[in-house]
Amino acid sequence: MPTATTTRAARLGALAFIVRPAYIATEVITAAATTGGYSFVTDSVSKLGEVGFSDGYSSPHHEVMNGSFVGFGVLMAGGAWLSNKELGPWVTGLLVISGASSVATGLAPLDQDATLHAIAATPLFVAQPLALALLGPRLKHTQPRLAKALLATGVVTAGAAVGFILAPEGSASGALERLALWPVLFGLAGWAWGQRRAGVS
């Protein structure tokens, strides 16, 4: 039987996932200050975190974006760790890896070391879809609609991640990257909201 401490931890973990969609606001704020015609469709999220001036772009609020990668990565890893009983070991592990990847991405801006940045960011695009694909079946008896939604989100984000990697620069790579990332925010927030409404027992 869960103790008050474990229940409190799970509720905090759920709250961490619920607030994570606010990440999108940091992209919008940073992009609004960026000079050089930044596009959410053709330009990568990482360009918002570039420290210097490159390819005609300048991101004066790059520290907001890189801080967001770190902060929301911590929320993901911490939320998963606190919700490990509800998520199960595999989903927890994948989300902790995803959070750590986000943190590392924020600490390695694209224009400072492109190779290191790619190494830091890659696990996020692999681990998140896998986590959703594994979380969905865990809910098929208790929350069948959410289970299907999470599984579908995992498939869509995995496909978008592959598309982002293969898309030539200057195409719709920015839109594909966001399709690989943003739905995960809402999928996990939806799961967490259901956990809190159920009392996370």
Side-chain angles (χ1 to χ4, degrees):
M1 183 174 181
T3 65
T5 301
T6 58
T7 300
R8 189 179 307 114
R11 286 176 177 164
L12 286 172
L15 181 60
F17 285 121
I18 289 170
V19 302
R20 287 189 72 249
Y23 157 84
I24 295 174
T26 66
E27 276 197 36
V28 174
I29 291 169
T30 308
T34 300
T35 60
Y38 183 86
S39 169
F40 278 80
V41 175
T42 60
D43 294 314
S44 72
V45 178
S46 296
K47 292 193 75 65
L48 295 174
E50 290 186 347
V51 176
F53 183 88
S54 65
D55 299 327
Y57 292 93
S58 176
S59 180
H61 294 339
H62 56 82
E63 71 281 354
V64 173
M65 195 71 258
N66 291 324
S68 177
F69 290 150
V70 172
F72 285 97
V74 169
L75 283 175
M76 176 181 280
W81 184 260
L82 292 168
S83 305
N84 67 88
K85 175 180 175 292
E86 292 74 26
L87 291 170
W90 283 101
V91 176
T92 297
L94 288 167
L95 292 179
V96 168
I97 290 171
S98 298
S101 175
S102 180
V103 171
T105 300
L107 297 176
L110 177 62
D111 63 332
Q112 300 300 294
D113 189 328
T115 300
L116 181 60
H117 181 84
I119 292 172
T122 297
L124 181 68
F125 291 93
V126 177
Q128 284 192 141
L130 283 174
L132 294 181
L134 292 175
L135 180 57
R138 287 179 61 86
L139 307 174
K140 64 181 180 180
H141 298 302
T142 57
Q143 296 173 283
R145 286 193 295 181
L146 179 58
K148 291 177 182 178
L150 289 173
L151 184 57
T153 302
V155 171
V156 169
T157 53
V162 172
F164 168 64
I165 293 169
L166 299 178
E169 188 174 350
S171 61
S173 58
L176 287 169
E177 182 180 20
R178 288 172 173 87
L179 185 58
L181 298 175
W182 287 7
V184 178
L185 298 168
F186 295 101
L188 291 174
W191 169 82
W193 182 256
Q195 291 294 111
R196 287 182 67 84
R197 289 192 66 180
V200 196
S201 58

